[in-house]
Structures are given as C-alpha cells and as structure tokens.
Amino acid sequence: MGFFKDFKDDISEDLNDLTDENYEKENEEVEEMVDTLDDPELAQMAAELKKEAEDTISDKLNTKLEEKEYKSVKETKQETASKEEEVSDDGEEIADETAVITAGLKVTGDLESVGSIDIFGSVTGNVACRGKLTVSGVLAGNSQANEIFANSAKINGDINAKGSVKVGQGTVIVGNITATSAVIAGAVKGDIDVQGPVIVDSTAIVVGDIKSKSVQINNGATIDGRCSQCYSDIDTNAIFG
C-alpha cells in the first residue's frame, strides 16, 4: 500500500504546478502507470486514484478560468473608470482625440470638437473644443476651450478658457482674454480677466486692463492699462476704512 501512498503524494505535488499546457502530459503518464499493472485489484485502486486526480485537475482548471474571467472583468472596469475620469470641469466628457489643421490649410467656418484642436494653418471662424486648443497659425474668430496655448500665433478674437491660457513669445492677440490663470509672454491688445494668478513675462506687451487675483510683472514687460487685483481675498476697504 506504500506504493499507492507515494503514488498519490506524487500526483498531489504535480497538481500544485499543473498548468493547461502540461495537463495532457501528466494524464498520459498516469494512464501508462495504470496500464502496466497486472494485478486486477491494484489496477482498480490505480484507476480510482486516476479518477480522483482527474477530478482534482478539473477543479483546478475551472478555478483558473474563473480567476482569469474575474481579472478580465476587473481590468475592463478599471479601463472604463479611467475613461470616465477624462471630463471637463463642468462634467462634459473629453474625447481622447486631436483634430489638426495643418500648415498651408485654410478653413472658413466654425470648428467644434469634443476633443482637442491644433491649428497650424489658417482658420476664419469661431473655434470651440472640450480639450486643449493649440494655435500656432492664424485664427480670426472667437475661441473657447478647456485650456488654450498660443505659440507664435496671430489671433483676432476673444479667448475664453475654463482653465489656463498661455500666450507664448511671438504671439499677437487682438481680443479679450478670460480664464482661471494666465501666462503672457507675447503681445495682447485687450482686457485680461482672470480669476486666479497672472504672470506677465519680460517679453510681454499688454494694451488693456488686467483683472486678477494676483499679478506678477517681470522686468521688461510693457503694460498700458490698469491692474486690479479685484479677485484677491484681501478686503482693501476694511484696511483703509
């Protein structure tokens, strides 16, 4: 009987490392051992052990399939949750795509996208997107986006961003800017209305009033207008009576 005890222990050890790929090989080895037994009683006991091993193998394989299915469902839910996080401040979903107006392309008419827009060519018309608007070409029209970045651009129209506005060096804007924060390194002719901080870099030229919570003006910047920190938390009337 020690032979069958050792035989059973060996099968149990093999089951711990059993995978889908070596199942067939292990099963063939068990069948070979059963076929080589001449004693009917021993053959019957070996057959019972074989059946027990097959049942155990089947249970393990089913458990693995269930684990794989659970993992797949979990990963799908995580991917869905990740996509749902890509929304704007007002709850609108932002598509993970970018429409590109290439250099040399001229577009006449309004543009609207649920994703982002990059303008390297020329657009005559209003532009609105839920993602980021990047302008490195010419835009004649009002623009609205989650955030706006103008780099070496020519813009004639008002700019409205739910987030930040960055005006790079070499950019010329004729129009008002509304945002929650702004960095100005180019030329702006129009009023700047920002609920948060404004940084006016040394290369900036601003002709218009600036309303913000705070403003930083670097040496060399040119400003022709009033600066008002009307969104500041400090109550000036209380200080000066």
Side-chain angles (χ1 to χ4, degrees), residues 159-160 165 167 173 175-179 182 184 188 190-194:
I159 293 176
N160 190 332
V165 169
V167 180
I173 297 176
N176 300 323
I177 296 177
T178 304
I184 310 298
V188 177
D191 296 335
I192 299 175
D193 189 343
V194 175

Side-chain angles (χ1 to χ4, degrees), residues 20-178:
D20 296 346
E21 291 77 10
N22 61 19
Y23 164 71
E24 184 177 352
K25 180 180 178 181
E26 294 287 341
N27 192 45
E28 289 177 354
E29 291 178 357
V30 173
E31 289 180 351
E32 183 178 354
M33 293 183 67
V34 172
D35 294 340
T36 56
L37 296 174
D38 297 331
D39 191 315
E41 184 177 355
L42 294 178
Q44 181 179 357
M45 295 178 67
E48 292 176 355
L49 288 175
K50 174 189 172 184
K51 185 177 184 304
E52 181 181 348
E54 289 177 343
D55 292 341
T56 304
I57 291 171
S58 178
D59 291 340
K60 283 184 175 290
L61 292 179
N62 289 335
T63 301
K64 287 184 178 181
L65 290 175
E66 291 175 358
E67 290 176 351
K68 290 180 180 179
E69 182 178 359
Y70 172 76
K71 184 178 180 181
S72 176
V73 173
K74 185 177 180 180
E75 290 175 349
T76 301
K77 289 182 178 180
Q78 289 176 344
E79 291 176 358
T80 302
S82 177
K83 291 180 179 179
E84 290 176 350
E85 291 178 355
E86 297 177 358
V87 296
S88 60
D89 295 337
D90 57 2
E92 293 182 334
E93 292 186 3
I94 300 175
D96 186 18
E97 59 183 22
T98 301
V100 180
I101 306 300
T102 58
L105 178 62
K106 295 182 179 180
V107 177
T108 301
D110 297 340
L111 297 179
E112 185 174 350
S113 173
V114 295
S116 301
I117 299 177
D118 290 347
I119 299 177
F120 298 98
S122 175
V123 176
T124 301
N126 298 326
V127 177
C129 65
R130 295 182 184 177
K132 181 178 180 180
L133 173 61
T134 301
V135 183
S136 296
V138 178
L139 172 60
N142 299 328
S143 56
Q144 181 176 349
N146 194 45
E147 56 180 317
I148 298 176
F149 175 47
N151 184 33
S152 299
K154 307 295 181 184
I155 300 176
N156 191 344
D158 294 339
I159 293 176
N160 190 332
K162 298 176 182 178
S164 63
V165 169
K166 297 179 181 179
V167 180
Q169 187 174 354
T171 297
V172 177
I173 297 176
V174 179
N176 300 323
I177 296 177
T178 304

Side-chain angles (χ1 to χ4, degrees), residues 194-198 210-215 228-232:
V194 175
Q195 298 289 327
V198 173
I210 299 177
K211 295 197 302 182
S212 65
K213 183 175 183 179
S214 64
V215 60
S228 171
Q229 281 72 63
C230 58
Y231 301 122
S232 174

Side-chain angles (χ1 to χ4, degrees), residues 3 8 14 16-17 19 63 91 95 140 151 182 222 229 232:
F3 164 75
K8 185 175 182 180
D14 292 340
N16 293 331
D17 300 326
T19 60
T63 301
N151 184 33
T222 300
Q229 281 72 63
S232 174

